[in-house]
Structures are given as C-alpha cells and as structure tokens.
Amino acid sequence: MHFEKSELLKTLPKQFFASLVAKVNAKISAGADVINLGQGNPDQPTPEYIVRAMQEATANSGDHKYSLFRGEHRLKRAIVDFYKEEYGVMLDPETEVAILAGSKIGLVELPWALMNPGETLLLPNPGYPDYLSGAALGQVHCDFLPLTRENDFLVDYTAIDSETAKKAKFLYLNYPNNPTGAVATDHFYEETVNFAVNNEVGIVSDFAYGAIGFDGYKPLSFLQTAGAKDVGIETYTFSKTFNMAGWRIGFAVGNADMIEAINVIQDHLFVSLFPAIQDAAVEALTNISERQKAIVKLNTVYQKRRDAFVNAVRAYGWEPYVPKGAFYVLMPVPKEYSSAEFAELLLEEANVAVADASGFGDAGEGYIRVGLTIDEARLIEAAERIGKLKIFK
C-alpha cells in the first residue's frame, strides 16, 4: 500500500538545516576533512553541576512518573526567580510561564494556538527558517520585514506600511540575532512596544541567545521594556546558555493570554517533559554561583573564537559584520557569486562548510553565516583555507 502525505504536510518548507547536514556528511563520507561552520550546535559539554543534578534526579523514582501536564511548579518558580534576578522582570509562575521541549516548540506552536488560517504573521528577513514551519502548519500568511546592515539588522518600523501593520496579528523578533549576530537596544524595544500598541500586534521575542554577548555587552530581554508583557512573550532555551541542545528544554514567559494558549495546545500534544530534566533545569537556574561561572566561561570561549576568526579573515581583506551577540559571524559574499554558489565553492574547494544566508530569507542574499561552535585552531584553519582560494589573491 502507498500512503500520501497530507496536503498540510506538503506545504511545509524544505528543512534548511537537514539539507546542509546531508551535504556535509556526504563530503565527509567521501574522505574529506571538512571544517563544519554551518550549524548552530554548541560543541561544549553541559556544565558538570547540571549533569550531576540530572544523574541524581534519574535515580529518584518520583521522577519516573508523568510530569504535571504544564510542567513542575518548582521549575516555573525557578524561571520566575531567574527572570527577576537577571532582568528585573516580575512574572506569575502559574499564568505567565509555559514549559517547552526546546524553544523551537513554542515558536512553531504559536500560530496554531493563537492565529486563524489566513491571518498575517510578520517575520524578520533573514530569520530562523523554522518560523516558516509554524506559519505553514498554522496555515497563516507571512509578510517579511527586511533587516539591513545599514540599520544594524533591526526592524525598521517606519518602513512598514499602514496596511501591512493593520492586518498583522503577530510579529516575531530575534535578538541577539540568528544569522547576523545583531543585538537590540533599549530604544528599539521601546519602538517595538509602541508599534504593538498602536497596531494591536502581538510580539514574540525569540531570546535563544540571551546569555551570549561580547565586549561586555549583556543582551536585553524584551520583557525589560515598559509595557512589553502587555503585548507579548519571550521564548528562552537552555540549549545555548547551558550547552543543553540535546536535552530539549526551554520556556516561554510573558503575556498571560498567549501563555495560556500555548499551554492549552501542549495539553493536547504532550505531558510536559521527563521530570528529571526539569529538576536538572531547576539546578541550572537556581545554583547562582555555578550559573554565573558557566555563563562567564561561555562568553569567554565564544569571544575568543569570534576574535580569532575575525582577525584571521581580516588578514586578507575579508571584512565581516562583527557580532555583538549570539555565536555567528556574518560574512559578505564576493560580488561575482550568489550566497549559495559561494557556500558551495567553500565546501568543494576549501572543505569548509558554512550556511548560505539566503536560506534564512532573500534578504540574507549576499552573505554566508559562520558558526563559532568549533575551537579557535580550526576556525583559524578554516579562515586560512578560504584565504588561499584564488578569489582572495
């Protein structure tokens, strides 16, 4: 028997990162020494204090049962305390927190939970490709807001026409930004709240890289802005802050109506997360001295890598957009190539894998994204391999 995919499933975009992984793996299987700078998968281990907490929790028979549907109260309390300590944001643990199996879950679920087919979602361009997955599953219309280097890759609210603003229901933002490494300012978030209020648009802040800032910069939470909780939510993940990508745990916080809708859809899809993972997450957040040491170490590692790569490519005249956050470096593509062509050239001729930034949206054309999730020596080697190509001679 043959079974066709549903019509809804057929609307899903091609998974950008899956395609990238397949290309790289094929090259490696053929015997090439590929330096993979194409993914955002942290290479450092989860801090030991979190691993120990997980080991202890798995031995606790109480953690072998189903979790509460909406997550354990102790984790919600820890999240509330974390946001108060780090950002000065006050939250209600029962009405303004949703536990997620990674922040991607919340970002993809939201159009199902809060939008009707045909309604309009505003998305950054370039932006995280899986935003499109949520839009397709929710059967909503997308309008794209171009992020330009001239505007430091911030949304330009003055460029949004009144008709687009009027029909929009939600807007996704992501700072520190993937793929650009750009960061938000206080003024920008104030503008965001004003735009939301004036146009009745809900805001979804994707704060996946919230712990990663360079040169002494601490990334801002959208919810720190006056009035932000009235108009939106923020998603956060343990994947980047604590090198827990494979653990699949995150959360959403903020506007109670939006949080309740996410919780309701999750009541039908999941029974929350393995309680032992939630206990490890509690330890990650509440052991303040270990948490702070882990975040300082994280930022030190990524800044050294950023600086090593930037200095190496500058040596032969290739000038990056120097990031202030996240763990990516956005590099301009030589004029004679498209982003896809140049990424292919680097893989085939230098055995260096990068992400074609046009895969994040057509406004990413002209750039490639370099991930800093590999040690300094290999980053420098990658830069040197690229520098030997004839286009840089």
Side-chain angles (χ1 to χ4, degrees), residues 85-98:
E85 292 158 7
E86 286 293 316
Y87 307 113
V89 174
M90 305 298 291
L91 297 162
D92 184 314
E94 298 310 313
T95 63
E96 295 177 341
V97 180

Side-chain angles (χ1 to χ4, degrees), residues 134-358:
L137 290 168
Q139 298 179 292
V140 302
H141 172 75
C142 296
D143 277 340
F144 297 95
L145 306 179
L147 310 182
T148 65
R149 185 166 181 167
E150 294 71 27
N151 199 45
D152 284 326
F153 297 108
L154 296 172
V155 172
D156 181 0
Y157 292 110
T158 65
I160 302 174
D161 65 77
S162 58
E163 184 179 345
T164 297
K166 184 178 179 180
K167 68 182 181 181
K169 190 164 185 181
F170 289 98
L171 162 64
Y172 279 25
L173 297 173
N174 170 221
Y175 297 102
N177 183 259
N178 176 17
T180 68
V183 298
T185 63
D186 289 323
H187 177 66
F188 172 74
Y189 278 148
E190 289 165 2
E191 285 186 322
T192 300
V193 171
N194 288 336
F195 174 80
V197 171
N198 293 337
N199 296 284
E200 297 186 352
V201 175
I203 305 298
V204 181
S205 166
D206 174 0
F207 203 33
Y209 302 91
I212 304 172
F214 303 132
D215 304 315
Y217 171 80
K218 180 179 178 178
L220 300 171
S221 163
F222 168 64
L223 295 185
Q224 289 176 266
T225 310
K229 199 167 66 171
D230 294 331
V231 301
I233 62 170
E234 187 157 82
T235 62
Y236 195 99
T237 178
F238 289 72
S239 297
K240 311 303 192 294
T241 303
F242 300 107
N243 297 320
M244 293 171 67
W247 298 54
R248 306 315 303 140
I249 182 164
F251 56 85
V253 289
N255 182 274
D257 292 339
M258 295 170 69
I259 293 296
E260 175 62 14
I262 289 172
N263 277 326
V264 168
I265 195 169
Q266 293 199 146
D267 286 345
H268 293 273
L269 293 172
F270 313 113
V271 189
S272 195
L273 309 174
F274 180 27
I277 294 178
Q278 295 186 61
D279 282 339
V282 170
E283 179 68 7
L285 296 176
T286 60
N287 190 328
I288 297 174
S289 63
E290 291 290 343
R291 183 186 85 209
Q292 291 175 340
K293 283 193 292 185
I295 291 174
V296 168
K297 180 181 178 182
L298 184 80
N299 281 286
T300 300
V301 166
Y302 285 132
Q303 177 148 349
K304 285 182 177 178
R305 292 177 179 182
R306 180 201 69 168
D307 294 347
F309 183 79
V310 166
N311 290 335
V313 296
R314 278 178 168 167
Y316 52 87
W318 197 19
E319 184 61 32
Y321 175 79
V322 180
K324 293 182 181 178
F327 48 57
Y328 306 108
V329 180
L330 198 69
M331 302 298 303
V333 168
K335 288 189 169 80
E336 58 266 41
Y337 294 93
S338 70
S339 293
E341 289 169 343
F342 190 62
E344 189 72 20
L345 176 75
L346 297 187
L347 183 59
E348 292 304 316
E349 296 194 16
N351 286 329
V352 174
V354 299
D356 158 17
S358 72

Side-chain angles (χ1 to χ4, degrees), residues 9-74:
L9 206 60
K10 291 176 184 177
T11 68
L12 291 178
K14 187 175 181 181
Q15 228 299 338
F16 174 69
F17 295 109
S19 302
L20 178 62
V21 170
K23 279 186 180 181
V24 172
N25 287 345
K27 190 82 171 169
I28 292 171
S29 296
D33 173 27
V34 176
I35 301 177
N36 189 354
L37 310 180
Q39 291 182 271
N41 191 359
D43 65 315
Q44 298 295 294
T46 303
E48 288 184 11
Y49 81 101
I50 302 172
V51 175
R52 286 196 301 271
M54 179 66 172
Q55 290 168 336
E56 292 172 9
T58 57
N60 175 9
S61 62
D63 273 357
H64 300 172
K65 300 178 181 179
Y66 288 123
S67 170
L68 296 173
F69 267 77
R70 297 188 176 191
E72 300 297 330
H73 297 295
R74 54 190 178 272

